[in-house]
Structure formats: C-alpha cells, structure tokens
C-alpha cells in the first residue's frame, strides 16, 4: 500500500514534533543564555538548528517514500542534503538582496541551514534522489499523494513567508528586528507553521476523498 | 486586417491619444499639487521710503529729512534708523530647533500634564512676573516645517514653497531679500553660533560664526555644547549687534528618541539652565549706559514636532511652536491694553498668565521694524502689535510736540508709532504684490489682486487724514483725545485688514493644494489606464486568428504574477521608506520574477542558463545600487565605489587606477564586438550597416580617448588633451546625431522597403547604437558597464521567456507580460545603478558639462536629461523591438510580417501600461501623503521624476512607432 499514503495522525504528529523542536530551540536559548532572535540572531539560530535538525531528519526519514531503503540511508542523505539546500537558499537570499559581508556571514549560514531544514532536507529524506518525484514536486502539478503535501506545503510556506518577511526591512522604524536575518526568519517560521497546518488539512481531505487523486 | 500603409496610422493613433491624456493628467495634477512661487531679486533700500506715502504727514518733523540724507551719504544709521525709528539696540535670538508649544507654555494650558511640560520654567516665570516686558507667544509656522524652509521663511518673511523658481537652483543660499541681508547692508554686526544650515543659507553674512554640523541626527550634544561654549562669553562682548544661537539637541532627541523620552527631558532641563544664565547676564548689565540697556531677547522655535519627533508637514503639533520675547526695559503699564488677553490661564503658581498668538510670517518685518531696518522686499508679514509693544522705546513720542502737536498719552503715542510702521509695512507689501504679479511665472488670481488693491487704497486714503487730526488740535479735552484714539484704532484696523487679506491670498497661492485640479488629473490618468486596457484587448482580438488554442491556466499564472509584480511595486510608493529604497525594491522584484522563471525552467527539466545569468547580473546591479546609495560625492562613479566597497582600498591604489581605466574600455570593446557580430549576422542593407558600424566604432574610440585624457595620464600633449577633453565628446554627440539621420531618412524615403524581421532588427539596432555612444559618454566610466549589463540582461530576459512560449501559447496576449515587466524593472534598476535617485540632488550635474565648459540652459539641460533618462528610458524603449524579434524569430512557427507589428504594438502598449500604472499610484500616494513630513523632501521629487518619465516614455514610444512602422 502506502506508497505515499500517510495517516492523518501521523502527519499531525510529525508537524507537532517539528513545531516543538522550534519552540524548544527558542526556549532553550532564552533560558540558558538569555538569548532571543533580536539580541543575538546568529546564536539563537544555532540553537534552533541544534534542536530542529535531529527532529526533522529523524521524523521525515521515518516517512520516506521508498520503504525499501534503509532508515540510515535516508538519514545520511538528509545530512548530506542539509549543506546543499543551505547553499541554494543562501544563493537565493543573496540574489534577492541579502547583505554580503563579514558581519553577516555567520547569520546567513545559520539562516540558510534553517531554511534548508524547512525546504530541502524533508524532500531529500522522503524522496531520496528519485527524479520523477522531484520533477513532480517542482512542477507543483496537483499533489497526488499525501507525502507530497507533507513536504511541499510547509516548504512553500517557509519560502513565501521569508519573502514576505523581507518587506519590513527597508522601513524607517529603526526597530532592532528589521536587521537581516531576523524578520526574514520570523516570516519563514510563520510561513512554515501555516504550511504545516495546511498540509495536515490536505492530508485529512485526501484521506476522506481518496478518489480525488485518480483525476 | 492587414497592416499596409493606410493602417500604419491606426496603430500609431492609440499612442497619440495616450500621450495627450497623460499630458492633460500631468498638467492638471501639477497645477494642483506643485506649488510654485517666483523668487524676485529686488531688494529694499533705505532711500525707497521716499516713494511711500507714509512720510507725508510730518513735513516739519525732523525725523524724515536727516534719514534720507544719511543714506544718500552712505553712512551708517546709528540712531535714526531707516524706515522706522529703531527701538532696540541689540538683539539676542536663541533658536531652539523643533520647540513644541507645550515645551514653553505652562501645563495648565493643556488638558493633561505630560512629562515634557514645564521644563523651561525660567521662561514661564519671567512671563508671569514681568508681564510688562516679557511674554510667551504661540507661534504658528507655515508648512513645509523643515528647518531650512523655516529659516528661509523667518528671514525673508515669505512663504517658501517646493519650487521657489529663482536663481538658487541647486544651491540653498537665499537670493531673495532677507533680514540678514538688511542687517549687513545697514551696518549691523551679526554673530552666529550653532546649526550650520545658517551658513548654507547665508554664506557671507556673518561677522563671526561658530557653525557646527547638523547632519548627524544621532549626535545630541555637539552643536549644543559648541553653542554653550560661545554663548555666555559673547554676551559680555560688544562686537555684535545681533546674536543668533541655534540649538539642535531637542530636534535630534525627538528624531531619535521621541518627545516622551528621558533624553528629551534632560535636554529641556539643560536649556532651562542655559536660559536662566543668559537672562541673568543680560539683567545684570541692563542698567543705564550698560551693555544690555536696550537689548531684546527672543527665544523661539523654528517649528514644532510630533510626539514621534517628526516634522515637515502641516499638522497642529508640527506648525505650533513658540516665541518668548523679553525686553530688558519695561514698557509703560498701558501696554496691557495692547496685549491681547484672550488666551489666559493661571500658571503653576495660580498667577494669571496670558499668551499671545504670533505668525512666523510676521517675524522678519517685526524684527526689521524694531531694529529700524528696511523691511525685506518679499516679506508679506505684518508688524506684530504685541511684539512691537514689548519694546519700551516704541512708547516714546517722536518729539512731534515741538511743532505744535499736543503731547500725546502713552497709548496714543504708541499707536502713532505703530501706525507709521504699519503704513510703511502696507506700502512695502503692496509694492511686492504689484511687482510679483507682473513678473512671476504663475501670477496670482486677478480678482483677489483687485480686492487687495482696493483695501490698500482705502487704508492709505484715510492715512493722511488720521495723521493730520493728531496735529490739528492744539489743546484739547478728553473727548477729543478719545476720538483721536478711536481714529488711530480705525486706521490700525484698516491696515491690519489689508495685510491679513494679503497673507491669506499668499497662503492660498503658495501653501494650499488645489484638490479639484489634482482630482481632474487623477481622473485623466484613470481614463488613460482604461484606454490602455481596451487597446491591448482590441489588439489581442486581432491576433487571435493567428494564434489559436488557449491555455487558461498558463495565461492566468502569467497574468497574475505580472499583475502582482506591478501592483506591489506601485503600492510600495505609499511609504517614504520604500521610495528611498526604490532601487532595492525594483531589484528584489526583478529577482523574484527571475526566480519564478528559473523555477519554471527547472520544472521543465532544462538547464536554466539564461535565468541564472540574469540573477547573477541582478546581484551585480543590486550591489551597485547599494554602493551608489552609500556614496556622498557625486564625482565618483558607482562602479568605482563598488571596487572600493569590495576590496577596501583607497583611491591611491595603483591596481584600482588600472581597473578604473581598463574595465570601462574592456566593456566598451565587448559592446563593439557584440554590435559587429549582430550586424554581420544579417544580410540586407549593406551600405547602412557599414555606416552604422564605422560610426559606432569611431565614437567608442573617441570615448576612450576622452577618458584617458580626463584622467591626466598623458600630461605632456596639451593638444591631445584638448581634443580628448572637449572635442571628443562633441564629436561623439555629432556622430550620434549623424547616425540618427540616415536611419530616419532610410526609413521614410525608401518606402518600398520590404517590411521584414531583419529590416526591423537593423533599424532597431541602428537606433540603439546611435544613442548608446552619447549615453555612455554622459554616464562616465560606469557607462559601458551599465549598458553592457542592460544588453546582456535584456538578452537573458528574452531568451528565458522563449522556453515558455514553446510550451504554451498565450491566447489573449501574444507576448508574455512578465517579459515586458522584467524589461521595465531592469530599466528601473539601471536608473538607480547608474547613480541616480529620484531627487534633485540625485541629478548628476557633472554630466551636463562633458564636452562643454560653459553653461547654456538648453544645451546643458538637454545633456542632463539624456544622462538621467538615457539608460532607464531611452535605451529600453528603443530596444523593445528586440523582444518581439528574438521571440518570434526563435519560435518555430512561420510568422507573418503583419503579426510582428501587431505584437510590437502590443508590447509598446504593455510597457506604457506598466509605466502609467506606477505613475498613477505615485499620484495617488503623493495626494494621500500631501501632509506627510517628507512630502517636499521625497514624495514631490518622486512625482516630478515619475511624471517626466511617463511623458518621456509616451514621446519615445510615439517616436519609435513612427520610426519602426
């Protein structure tokens, strides 16, 4: 069965875990070092990474499409995919106007790793290097399987959120959070959470109308 | 429908209609929005008073004849004054920038007590305890409430507007007659300390000055400490007549921390201490014969501020500031009948305190009257009764009792003095209004002028009668004295009435927007948008037979993303921050569009070469824009700054010098190679192609020669130097023009020429390359690189859109609108990349003098326009045919010639639609933000640039369509 099918409860649990990972990251940074994204973005982002990476890699590898592949293979591919995705995200950000310079390198690297966790790593975990799946995801034709939703909606949410999050940056409010990459990170996380909620809803809808996928 | 000779006009007609609509829209909106005032360069002189009717009633008075002789002899008017009798010897003006009214007035005047109130206790104490000599006024400023405009308004007594048409274009120094000029002309010594804006406005008016830089808003103390250091010692000195001390701390504290902050309160308390000290020093020396016996102290704000610390607009918080005036000699007690007691409340200690109302407009003329100076020529203010009465000497009768006129009571004597000042005041204002309405570009409404003139003649006709009464009655009883008093009062009212109507007229002409004109302009703009849409739709209907098959989803995606991109860009003009960051916003959107394309291409499983190249180019552009915003000097090019930015080197670095010369020349050669490759790829019109090629290469060589000689790399050959410096640019302009002529001629004369894609591409190339050399040389060394970026960016945009057109044909539109939008975004980005921005200081004035040493308004204006709009309007619009040519050439279908021209028309229309949509939104935003604090600093210049850009776009499209069809 189950090539690409997934229980609603499982999807919900997966998303909850990911959200908890982010929350735990923020919480730990706040408690242990009294850090927040605004006061020290780089450090806080590193905390988020420490908590979120294992959770995303472990949980998405668990729902991998091709269950014939061993679990460790999915995990190791995910760990390989993390820097690749980070590179793509960093390039995208720089093209869109992220500042370049010694002052920003560290936070850009951490930020793009986090974006990679939101976008690229789940896809690598679930699909491996299957060209068919990748093409379908990129072309964004109607999602045929539940796992597609699970991967693509949060990723799209994170990207759109980050894009929108860049808009307050040029305003003259002189708020500390208008610095790169603070508001972009907030936007990305907000978009990611919205995407996760949507994907849970979609998985639920697909379960109830299974014939939709035949069209 | 075939496109033959007859239908050429039917395709051009829409462009003509659009051009007319846009012209009307811009004309009407500008009439309503851009307030203009002409600066007159006439000055008031002491001797002018002889022309006034005001000296008549005192034929025997000793005060007239000596005055005139004083000035014809060119002596310094020490005692007698000039137009009025001076009543103040020395004047101390302390300007506290952005002083809100509630900083000064006691908190009992307001509903709630706020933490920043009652900090300047010393002023409140003086005003309530010494009501005969000190008073607090609520001063009303006229927008725009920025320091520069306000200082200008305060000293000229006029109403500075956005466009003060005059000789001062570019430099802020005041050319109109003003208080400072009169002070200097009449031998007063002025001492200035504080804000260096004064130095910009009055570069050589001060005897001694201690200016401090005002641009660093985050620095609360430098200016203030500098002023404090010099202020108190100067009060003990005799070497000045007028002292101006301008504190900036409150303004800066407001901008950075807001009004309710700790820093603001500290600043106010600091000022309180300083003012206390100043008052003490002045009082200690106010005895008879002392230094400050007859000194007048004024503590004033130039404008207010909102609680966030913003100012510039016209809200009550911003225009309400304060004036505190104190004379060191008390006036007689009858002053209380002159001072207005409408606005009184108990102060903090329960004592009744009254506050006067003062218009900043009246400042210049009142101060001139107190000091006995000629009133500034362009002043439209009126001598303020209360401020005038505070000076004790205005209560002294002018010795008329010797010639038989009775000894007047204090009040009557004051009224007589005041009347004399008002008479001169009215005459001077009427003289200005008369001259203004005959010489200015946009005059004042005729019926208003007539009304004002009538009031003036009425007031003046009763003047001599009033003055004669006072002398006719030798001795008189109380009732005659009363009637004298009432006739004085009537005369004062007549003058005040006249002066009030003048200032009302001036305000309506110079500070009020005409909303109905603005509305009409906006409606015309909307009509033009509708016309655009209808024309595009009609063309699509025409094209449908050629392109069957509709892919609804594809169209929708493309249209929606195109619409969103334009809408986001247009909506961003609502905020001043986005207008400042417009270049970055455009580059962000261009990248977004590029990434969407990249995505499409990847999802088709194709390697996205062109898309990646476009993104890379955009990254370069963005860095250029950011570096261009950092630079302060207009001399250095943004490319140059970019190197410095990347490699952290200074200008002396030999590597950098080599780079700055070799890179432009290398890019120039690449451009030349590209043109020759493109030319050799076509086969028709041999002769024209050769002319084009040789001409372009020649001008590129001349450009290189010009740069090398400019750089001083070959100092010995003065002849070559001359050729390179002035002759080469002129030759380049000539060649550019010379290449245009055969292009146009061949297009019109050789009518039988086959209309083919190839011909169209040669014509387009001819047009673009003949313009390019002029634009490159004007842009300077960054030019070739900018043009190279444009050419390669444009190439990538067209190439990357090809993939999509193969995949799905757009049924409604022949050309994918996103391509056109990317094209226009690229043009916008290049405007900012080449070091321009939408402000008048964003013009590259240096470019106008390439090849010429002397200024000629038409020639230099033309060059400046080409420099400003060259790479952002001229090249992109003339290059539009390449979108169609490359796209249709590369699609596999056989395309008929008619179709090429139909799609060309459509692309022109879409491009025009994009420009007019953004301009429409600019108009809307400017209208919404017309009371915004940055309206004159940002929104208005943005509007001017957009309006000119829109009209230029229309003209260029019209020309291009005439040429290509």
């Amino acid at each position: 069965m189950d090539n690409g099918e997934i229980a609603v409860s499982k999807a919900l649990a997966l998303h909850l875990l990911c959200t908890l990972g982010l929350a735990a990251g923020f919480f730990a940074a706040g408690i242990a070092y009294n850090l927040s994204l605004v006061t020290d973005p780089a450090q806080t982002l590193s905390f988020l990474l420490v908590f979120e990476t294992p959770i995303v890699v472990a949980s998405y590898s668990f729902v991998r499409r091709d269950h014939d592949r061993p679990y460790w293979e999915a995990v190791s591919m995910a760990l390989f995919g993390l820097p690749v995705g980070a590179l793509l995200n960093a390039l995208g950000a720089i093209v869109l106007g992220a500042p370049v310079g010694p002052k920003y390198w560290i936070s850009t690297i951490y930020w793009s790793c986090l974006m990679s966790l939101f976008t690229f790593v789940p896809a690598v975990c679930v699909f491996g290097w299957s060209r068919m799946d990748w093409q379908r995801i990129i072309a964004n034709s109607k999602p045929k399987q539940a796992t597609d939703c699970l991967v693509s909606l949060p990723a799209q949410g994170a990207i759109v959120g980050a894009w929108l999050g860049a808009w307050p940056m040029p305003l003259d409010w002189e708020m500390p959070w208008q610095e790169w990459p603070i508001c972009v990170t907030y936007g990305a996380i907000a978009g990611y959470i919205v995407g996760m909620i949507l994907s849970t809803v979609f998985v639920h809808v697909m379960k109830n109308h299974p014939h939709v996928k035949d069209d | 429908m075939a496109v033959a000779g007859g239908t050429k006009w039917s395709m051009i007609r829409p462009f003509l209609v659009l051009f007319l609509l846009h012209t009307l829209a811009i004309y009407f909106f500008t009439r309503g929005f851009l307030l203009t005032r002409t600066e007159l360069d006439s000055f008031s002189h002491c001797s002018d008073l002889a022309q006034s009717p005001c000296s008549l009633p005192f034929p025997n008075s000793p005060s007239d004849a000596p005055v005139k002789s004083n000035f014809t002899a060119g002596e310094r008017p020490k005692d007698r004054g000039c137009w009025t009798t001076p009543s103040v010897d020395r004047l101390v003006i302390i300007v506290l920038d952005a002083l809100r009214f509630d900083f000064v007035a006691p908190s009992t005047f307001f509903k709630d007590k706020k933490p920043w109130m009652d900090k300047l206790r010393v002023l409140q104490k003086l005003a309530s305890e010494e009501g005969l000599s000190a008073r607090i006024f609520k001063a009303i400023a006229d927008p725009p409430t920025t320091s520069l405009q306000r200082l200008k308004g305060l000293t000229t007594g006029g109403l500075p507007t956005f466009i003060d048409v005059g000789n001062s274009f570019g430099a802020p120094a005041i050319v109109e007659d003003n208080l400072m000029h009169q002070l200097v002309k009449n031998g007063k010594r002025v001492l200035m300390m504080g804000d260096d804006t004064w130095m910009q406005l009055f570069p050589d008016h001060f005897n001694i000055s201690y200016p401090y830089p005002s641009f660093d808003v985050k620095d609360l103390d430098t200016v203030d400490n500098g002023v404090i250091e010099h202020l108190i010692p100067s009060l003990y000195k005799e070497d000045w007549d007028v002292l101006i001390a301008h504190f900036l701390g409150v303004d800066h504290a407001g901008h950075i921390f807001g009004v309710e902050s700790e820093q603001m309160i500290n600043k106010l308390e600091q000022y309180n201490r300083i003012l206390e000290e100043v008052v003490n020093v002045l009082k200690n020396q106010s005895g008879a014969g002392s230094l400050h016996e007859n000194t007048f102290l004024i503590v004033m704000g130039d404008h207010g501020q909102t609680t966030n610390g913003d100012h510039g607009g016209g809200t009550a918080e911003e225009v309400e500031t304060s004036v505190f005036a104190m004379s060191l000699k008390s006036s007689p007690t009858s002053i209380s009948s002159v001072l207005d007691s409408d606005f009184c409340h108990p102060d903090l200690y329960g004592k009744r305190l009254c506050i006067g109302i003062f218009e900043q407009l009246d400042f210049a003329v009142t101060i001139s009257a107190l000091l006995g100076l000629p009133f500034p020529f362009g002043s439209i203010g009126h001598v303020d009764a209360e401020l005038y009465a505070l000076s004790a000497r205005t209560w002294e009768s002018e010795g008329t009792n010797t010639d038989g006129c009775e000894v007047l009571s204090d009040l009557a004597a004051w009224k007589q003095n005041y009347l004399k000042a008002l008479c001169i005041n009215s005459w001077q204002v009427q003289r200005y209004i008369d001259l203004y309405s005959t010489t200015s570009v946009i005059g004042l409404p005729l019926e208003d002028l007539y009304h004002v003139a009538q009031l003036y003649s009425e007031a003046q006709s009763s003047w001599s009668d009033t003055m004669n009464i006072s002398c006719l009655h030798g001795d008189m009883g109380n009732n005659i004295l009363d009637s004298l008093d009432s006739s004085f009062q009537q005369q004062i009212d007549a003058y005040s009435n006249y002066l009030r109507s003048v200032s009302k007229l001036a305000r309506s002409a110079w500070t009020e927007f005409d909303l109905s004109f603005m509305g009409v302009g906006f409606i015309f703009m909307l009509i033009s948008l509708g016309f655009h849409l209808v024309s595009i739709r009609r063309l699509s209907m025409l094209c449908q037979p050629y392109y069957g098959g509709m892919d609804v989803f594809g169209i929708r995606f493309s249209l929606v993303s195109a619409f969103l991109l334009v809408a986001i860009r247009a909506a961003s003009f609502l905020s001043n921050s986005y207008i400042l960051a417009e270049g970055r916003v455009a580059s962000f959107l261009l990248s977004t569009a590029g990434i969407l394309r990249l995505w499409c291409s990847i999802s088709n499983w194709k390697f996205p070469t062109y898309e990646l190249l476009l993104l890379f180019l955009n990254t370069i552009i963005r860095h250029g824009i950011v570096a261009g915003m950092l630079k302060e000097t207009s001399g250095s090019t943004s490319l140059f700054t970019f190197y410095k930015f990347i490699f952290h080197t200074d200008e002396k670095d030999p590597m950098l010098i080599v780079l700055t010369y070799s890179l432009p020349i290398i890019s120039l050669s690449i451009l030349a190679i590209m043109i020759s490759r493109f030319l050799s790829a076509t086969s028709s019109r041999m002769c024209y192609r050769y002319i084009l090629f040789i001409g372009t290469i020649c001008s590129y060589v001349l450009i290189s020669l010009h740069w090398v000689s400019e750089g001083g790399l070959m100092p010995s050959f003065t002849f070559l130097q001359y050729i390179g410096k002035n002759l080469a640019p002129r030759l380049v302009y000539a060649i550019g023009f010379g290449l245009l002529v055969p292009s146009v001629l061949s297009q019109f004369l050789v009518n039988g020429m086959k209309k083919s894609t190839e011909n169209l591409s040669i014509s387009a190339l001819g047009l673009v390359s003949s313009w390019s050399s002029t634009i490159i040389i004007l842009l300077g060394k960054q030019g070739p690189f900018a043009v190279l970026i444009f050419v390669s960016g444009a190439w990538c945009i067209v190439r990357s859109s090809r993939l999509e057109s193969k995949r799905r044909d757009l049924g409604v539109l022949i050309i994918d609108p996103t391509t056109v939008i990317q094209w226009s975004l690229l043009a916008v980005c290049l405007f900012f990349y080449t070091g321009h921005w939408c402000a008048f200081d964003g013009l590259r004035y240096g470019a106008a003098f390439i090849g010429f040493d002397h200024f000629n308004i038409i020639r230099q204006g033309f060059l400046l326009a080409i420099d400003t709009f060259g790479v952002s309007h001229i090249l992109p619009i003339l290059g539009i045919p390449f979108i169609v040519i490359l796209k249709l050439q590369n699609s596999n279908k056989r395309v008929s010639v008619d179709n090429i021209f139909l799609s060309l028309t459509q692309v022109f229309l879409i491009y025009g639609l994009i420009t007019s949509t953004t301009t429409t939104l600019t108009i809307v935003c400017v209208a919404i933000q017309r009371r915004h604090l940055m309206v004159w600093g940002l929104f208005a210049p943005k509007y001017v640039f957009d309006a000119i850009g829109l009209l230029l776009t229309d003209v260029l499209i019209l020309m291009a369509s005439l040429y290509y069809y």
Side-chain angles (χ1 to χ4, degrees), chain B residues 110-181:
Chain B
F110 305 96
K111 250 192 285 173
D112 313 303
K113 183 175 157 54
K114 293 279 169 56
W116 60 79
M117 291 180 179
D118 297 326
K119 296 296 170 219
L120 299 174
R121 290 279 174 95
V122 56
L123 302 184
Q124 298 178 3
K125 201 171 134 226
L126 286 168
S128 69
E129 286 176 5
E130 302 177 28
L132 297 183
S133 59
R135 190 165 167 87
I136 292 174
F137 295 88
K138 178 198 255 187
I140 311 291
D142 289 290
T145 47
T146 54
S147 289
L148 189 105
Q149 309 277 17
R150 274 299 83 218
L151 293 185
K152 202 170 173 183
L154 282 169
T155 50
T156 58
L159 295 165
T161 58
F162 174 62
I163 301 181
D164 282 348
V165 185
N167 304 329
S168 64
F169 195 73
I174 298 181
V175 293
E176 281 178 294
D177 193 5
N178 60 71
L179 190 57
M180 294 298 132
H181 174 85

Side-chain angles (χ1 to χ4, degrees), chain A residues 69-205:
Chain A
R69 284 187 303 147
Y71 185 74
W72 62 264
E73 197 189 309
V75 170
S76 57
M77 274 174 80
L79 291 179
F80 173 71
L82 181 66
V84 175
L87 185 69
L88 289 180
N89 274 297
L91 285 180
I94 288 169
V95 163
L96 281 171
V100 190
K103 202 178 139 194
Y104 299 102
W105 280 349
I106 306 289
S107 31
T108 307
I109 289 171
Y110 284 141
W111 174 83
S112 45
C113 284
L114 190 69
M115 284 303 285
S116 173
L117 278 184
F118 291 165
T119 54
F120 198 71
V121 172
V124 174
C125 287
V126 175
F127 303 126
W129 297 124
S130 147
R131 184 189 144 159
M132 283 268 290
D133 290 326
W134 276 95
Q135 200 167 351
R136 192 182 64 245
I137 283 288
I138 291 172
N140 194 29
S141 46
K142 280 180 188 135
K144 296 215 165 56
Q145 280 136 359
T147 40
D148 288 5
C149 284
L150 216 57
V151 171
S152 67
L153 281 178
Q156 285 165 0
I159 291 172
V160 172
W163 189 87
L164 289 175
W167 277 97
M169 283 174 73
L171 288 172
D172 61 354
W173 297 342
E174 305 208 358
M175 292 294 186
W177 51 261
Q178 281 175 290
E179 281 287 307
W180 165 258
I182 303 168
C183 53
V184 179
T185 311
Y186 279 132
I189 290 174
Y192 184 55
I193 290 172
V194 170
M196 289 196 295
I197 294 169
L198 281 182
S199 94
T200 317
V201 172
F202 262 78
V203 170
H204 181 72
V205 169

Side-chain angles (χ1 to χ4, degrees), chain A residues 92 94-100 131 134-135 137-139 163 166-168 170-172 174, chain B residues 568 575-578 581 584-585 588-589 591-592 595 599 602-603 605 615 618-619 622-623:
Chain A
I94 288 169
V95 163
L96 281 171
V100 190
R131 184 189 144 159
W134 276 95
Q135 200 167 351
I137 283 288
I138 291 172
W163 189 87
W167 277 97
L171 288 172
D172 61 354
E174 305 208 358
Chain B
I568 292 172
S575 163
N576 56 329
S577 310
Y578 290 127
R584 282 190 289 155
V585 171
F588 184 73
L589 292 175
S591 291
T592 307
I595 287 175
W599 196 264
I602 292 178
S603 66
W605 222 249
L615 289 180
N618 192 28
T619 316
R622 204 248 313 171
H623 278 110

